[in-house]
PDB file of all heavy atoms in Angstrom:
ATOM      1  N   ILE A 169      23.452  -4.505   1.689  1.00 96.00           N
ATOM      2  CA  ILE A 169      22.213  -3.784   1.351  1.00 96.00           C
ATOM      3  C   ILE A 169      21.616  -3.150   2.611  1.00 96.00           C
ATOM      4  O   ILE A 169      20.429  -3.327   2.893  1.00 96.00           O
ATOM      5  CB  ILE A 169      21.177  -4.710   0.675  1.00 96.00           C
ATOM      6  CG1 ILE A 169      20.938  -5.965   1.532  1.00 96.00           C
ATOM      7  CG2 ILE A 169      21.615  -5.076  -0.727  1.00 96.00           C
ATOM      8  CD1 ILE A 169      19.667  -6.702   1.174  1.00 96.00           C
ATOM      9  N   PRO A 170      22.399  -2.427   3.399  1.00 97.00           N
ATOM     10  CA  PRO A 170      21.879  -1.879   4.656  1.00 97.00           C
ATOM     11  C   PRO A 170      20.788  -0.840   4.417  1.00 97.00           C
ATOM     12  O   PRO A 170      21.037   0.203   3.807  1.00 97.00           O
ATOM     13  CB  PRO A 170      23.121  -1.250   5.304  1.00 97.00           C
ATOM     14  CG  PRO A 170      24.008  -0.906   4.148  1.00 97.00           C
ATOM     15  CD  PRO A 170      23.792  -1.995   3.141  1.00 97.00           C
ATOM     16  N   THR A 171      19.588  -1.104   4.900  1.00 97.00           N
ATOM     17  CA  THR A 171      18.476  -0.190   4.648  1.00 97.00           C
ATOM     18  C   THR A 171      18.554   1.070   5.505  1.00 97.00           C
ATOM     19  O   THR A 171      17.757   1.992   5.309  1.00 97.00           O
ATOM     20  CB  THR A 171      17.134  -0.892   4.911  1.00 97.00           C
ATOM     21  OG1 THR A 171      17.123  -1.409   6.252  1.00 97.00           O
ATOM     22  CG2 THR A 171      16.921  -2.037   3.934  1.00 97.00           C
ATOM     23  N   ASN A 172      19.498   1.104   6.448  1.00 97.00           N
ATOM     24  CA  ASN A 172      19.669   2.302   7.265  1.00 97.00           C
ATOM     25  C   ASN A 172      20.894   3.120   6.858  1.00 97.00           C
ATOM     26  O   ASN A 172      21.295   4.045   7.566  1.00 97.00           O
ATOM     27  CB  ASN A 172      19.775   1.928   8.745  1.00 97.00           C
ATOM     28  CG  ASN A 172      20.913   0.947   9.025  1.00 97.00           C
ATOM     29  OD1 ASN A 172      21.497   0.386   8.098  1.00 97.00           O
ATOM     30  ND2 ASN A 172      21.204   0.722  10.299  1.00 97.00           N
ATOM     31  N   ALA A 173      21.484   2.815   5.703  1.00 98.00           N
ATOM     32  CA  ALA A 173      22.632   3.587   5.226  1.00 98.00           C
ATOM     33  C   ALA A 173      22.206   4.999   4.849  1.00 98.00           C
ATOM     34  O   ALA A 173      21.129   5.206   4.287  1.00 98.00           O
ATOM     35  CB  ALA A 173      23.267   2.894   4.024  1.00 98.00           C
ATOM     36  N   THR A 174      23.074   5.951   5.130  1.00 98.00           N
ATOM     37  CA  THR A 174      22.783   7.343   4.780  1.00 98.00           C
ATOM     38  C   THR A 174      23.810   7.936   3.826  1.00 98.00           C
ATOM     39  O   THR A 174      23.663   9.086   3.405  1.00 98.00           O
ATOM     40  CB  THR A 174      22.723   8.220   6.045  1.00 98.00           C
ATOM     41  OG1 THR A 174      23.955   8.086   6.764  1.00 98.00           O
ATOM     42  CG2 THR A 174      21.558   7.807   6.934  1.00 98.00           C
ATOM     43  N   GLU A 175      24.849   7.174   3.490  1.00 98.00           N
ATOM     44  CA  GLU A 175      25.801   7.599   2.471  1.00 98.00           C
ATOM     45  C   GLU A 175      26.435   6.365   1.848  1.00 98.00           C
ATOM     46  O   GLU A 175      26.485   5.290   2.459  1.00 98.00           O
ATOM     47  CB  GLU A 175      26.862   8.525   3.058  1.00 98.00           C
ATOM     48  CG  GLU A 175      27.625   7.945   4.230  1.00 98.00           C
ATOM     49  CD  GLU A 175      28.615   8.930   4.822  1.00 98.00           C
ATOM     50  OE1 GLU A 175      28.688  10.075   4.321  1.00 98.00           O
ATOM     51  OE2 GLU A 175      29.329   8.549   5.757  1.00 98.00           O
ATOM     52  N   ILE A 176      26.895   6.515   0.629  1.00 98.00           N
ATOM     53  CA  ILE A 176      27.366   5.363  -0.139  1.00 98.00           C
ATOM     54  C   ILE A 176      28.583   4.699   0.500  1.00 98.00           C
ATOM     55  O   ILE A 176      28.811   3.500   0.314  1.00 98.00           O
ATOM     56  CB  ILE A 176      27.649   5.762  -1.603  1.00 98.00           C
ATOM     57  CG1 ILE A 176      27.744   4.517  -2.491  1.00 98.00           C
ATOM     58  CG2 ILE A 176      28.891   6.626  -1.704  1.00 98.00           C
ATOM     59  CD1 ILE A 176      27.760   4.799  -3.965  1.00 98.00           C
ATOM     60  N   TYR A 177      29.334   5.441   1.289  1.00 97.00           N
ATOM     61  CA  TYR A 177      30.529   4.872   1.913  1.00 97.00           C
ATOM     62  C   TYR A 177      30.184   3.741   2.882  1.00 97.00           C
ATOM     63  O   TYR A 177      31.021   2.899   3.190  1.00 97.00           O
ATOM     64  CB  TYR A 177      31.311   5.969   2.652  1.00 97.00           C
ATOM     65  CG  TYR A 177      31.599   7.165   1.790  1.00 97.00           C
ATOM     66  CD1 TYR A 177      31.033   8.402   2.065  1.00 97.00           C
ATOM     67  CD2 TYR A 177      32.430   7.057   0.675  1.00 97.00           C
ATOM     68  CE1 TYR A 177      31.281   9.503   1.251  1.00 97.00           C
ATOM     69  CE2 TYR A 177      32.687   8.157  -0.139  1.00 97.00           C
ATOM     70  CZ  TYR A 177      32.105   9.365   0.159  1.00 97.00           C
ATOM     71  OH  TYR A 177      32.356  10.450  -0.655  1.00 97.00           O
ATOM     72  N   GLN A 178      28.948   3.707   3.358  1.00 98.00           N
ATOM     73  CA  GLN A 178      28.506   2.656   4.278  1.00 98.00           C
ATOM     74  C   GLN A 178      28.052   1.397   3.548  1.00 98.00           C
ATOM     75  O   GLN A 178      27.762   0.387   4.184  1.00 98.00           O
ATOM     76  CB  GLN A 178      27.355   3.183   5.143  1.00 98.00           C
ATOM     77  CG  GLN A 178      27.733   4.373   6.008  1.00 98.00           C
ATOM     78  CD  GLN A 178      26.513   5.029   6.620  1.00 98.00           C
ATOM     79  OE1 GLN A 178      25.455   5.134   6.000  1.00 98.00           O
ATOM     80  NE2 GLN A 178      26.651   5.463   7.869  1.00 98.00           N
ATOM     81  N   GLU A 179      27.987   1.452   2.227  1.00 98.00           N
ATOM     82  CA  GLU A 179      27.360   0.377   1.470  1.00 98.00           C
ATOM     83  C   GLU A 179      28.331  -0.642   0.901  1.00 98.00           C
ATOM     84  O   GLU A 179      27.905  -1.710   0.453  1.00 98.00           O
ATOM     85  CB  GLU A 179      26.517   0.983   0.338  1.00 98.00           C
ATOM     86  CG  GLU A 179      25.399   1.857   0.855  1.00 98.00           C
ATOM     87  CD  GLU A 179      24.549   2.462  -0.237  1.00 98.00           C
ATOM     88  OE1 GLU A 179      25.086   2.774  -1.323  1.00 98.00           O
ATOM     89  OE2 GLU A 179      23.343   2.618  -0.016  1.00 98.00           O
ATOM     90  N   GLY A 180      29.609  -0.343   0.889  1.00 97.00           N
ATOM     91  CA  GLY A 180      30.567  -1.308   0.363  1.00 97.00           C
ATOM     92  C   GLY A 180      31.665  -0.640  -0.443  1.00 97.00           C
ATOM     93  O   GLY A 180      31.856   0.580  -0.414  1.00 97.00           O
ATOM     94  N   LEU A 181      32.377  -1.465  -1.175  1.00 97.00           N
ATOM     95  CA  LEU A 181      33.542  -1.018  -1.940  1.00 97.00           C
ATOM     96  C   LEU A 181      33.119  -0.461  -3.293  1.00 97.00           C
ATOM     97  O   LEU A 181      32.435  -1.131  -4.062  1.00 97.00           O
ATOM     98  CB  LEU A 181      34.498  -2.193  -2.140  1.00 97.00           C
ATOM     99  CG  LEU A 181      35.838  -1.895  -2.815  1.00 97.00           C
ATOM    100  CD1 LEU A 181      36.671  -0.978  -1.931  1.00 97.00           C
ATOM    101  CD2 LEU A 181      36.586  -3.198  -3.075  1.00 97.00           C
ATOM    102  N   ARG A 182      33.523   0.776  -3.592  1.00 97.00           N
ATOM    103  CA  ARG A 182      33.219   1.413  -4.882  1.00 97.00           C
ATOM    104  C   ARG A 182      34.362   1.155  -5.855  1.00 97.00           C
ATOM    105  O   ARG A 182      35.530   1.346  -5.528  1.00 97.00           O
ATOM    106  CB  ARG A 182      33.034   2.917  -4.710  1.00 97.00           C
ATOM    107  CG  ARG A 182      31.824   3.301  -3.916  1.00 97.00           C
ATOM    108  CD  ARG A 182      31.820   4.786  -3.580  1.00 97.00           C
ATOM    109  NE  ARG A 182      31.579   5.625  -4.755  1.00 97.00           N
ATOM    110  CZ  ARG A 182      31.585   6.952  -4.703  1.00 97.00           C
ATOM    111  NH1 ARG A 182      31.848   7.583  -3.568  1.00 97.00           N
ATOM    112  NH2 ARG A 182      31.343   7.651  -5.801  1.00 97.00           N
ATOM    113  N   ILE A 183      33.993   0.745  -7.060  1.00 98.00           N
ATOM    114  CA  ILE A 183      34.984   0.468  -8.097  1.00 98.00           C
ATOM    115  C   ILE A 183      34.686   1.381  -9.287  1.00 98.00           C
ATOM    116  O   ILE A 183      33.686   1.189  -9.981  1.00 98.00           O
ATOM    117  CB  ILE A 183      34.939  -1.004  -8.544  1.00 98.00           C
ATOM    118  CG1 ILE A 183      35.012  -1.946  -7.338  1.00 98.00           C
ATOM    119  CG2 ILE A 183      36.067  -1.294  -9.528  1.00 98.00           C
ATOM    120  CD1 ILE A 183      34.725  -3.396  -7.690  1.00 98.00           C
TER     121      ILE A 183
END
Side-chain angles (χ1 to χ4, degrees):
I169 53 163
T171 56
N172 57 349
T174 56
E175 56 183 1
I176 196 169
Y177 308 114
Q178 299 168 323
E179 298 180 326
L181 185 65
R182 293 170 70 183
I183 309 170

